[in-house]
């Protein structure tokens, strides 16, 4: 088991990952073009075709994400 001094938090905010881990995941997925925005000023992202393939390879069941009109 990890010593408390070495534990890195993974925070849950409502029903999603928050904190630094959430921020790093968001940045990484955007850098890899797995998620994108239609307009840089928007706060919402969508999953790209590449993202669909890569998340599926990781075992993420994106079918559980409700589709929305963009």
């Amino acid at each position: 088991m990890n010593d408390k001094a070495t534990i890195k938090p993974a925070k849950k905010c409502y029903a999603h990952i928050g904190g630094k881990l959430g921020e790093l995941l968001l940045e990484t997925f955007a850098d890899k073009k797995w998620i994108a925005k239609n307009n840089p000023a928007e706060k919402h992202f969508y999953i790209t075709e590449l993202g669909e393939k890569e998340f599926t390879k990781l075992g993420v069941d994106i079918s559980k994400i409700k589709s929305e009109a963009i």
Side-chain angles (χ1 to χ4, degrees):
M1 182 160 191
N2 289 339
D3 180 83
K4 285 192 180 215
T6 63
I7 293 175
K8 300 213 181 275
K11 297 179 181 179
K12 184 175 179 181
C13 179
Y14 298 99
H16 62 271
I17 295 174
K20 189 62 178 178
L21 177 59
E23 180 184 343
L24 291 170
L25 288 170
L26 179 78
E27 290 172 2
T28 300
F29 296 153
D31 288 347
K32 290 178 175 279
K33 309 280 192 258
W34 293 12
I35 60 173
K37 294 180 182 184
N38 286 324
N39 178 332
E42 292 179 10
K43 69 177 186 174
H44 298 287
F45 289 82
Y46 65 90
I47 299 172
T48 64
E49 286 187 37
L50 175 61
E52 288 182 28
K53 292 176 189 171
E54 297 302 322
F55 286 124
T56 300
K57 284 183 195 175
L58 289 175
V60 177
D61 183 1
I62 61 170
S63 71
K64 294 181 179 184
I65 301 171
K66 183 180 171 186
S67 294
E68 297 178 359
I70 51 171

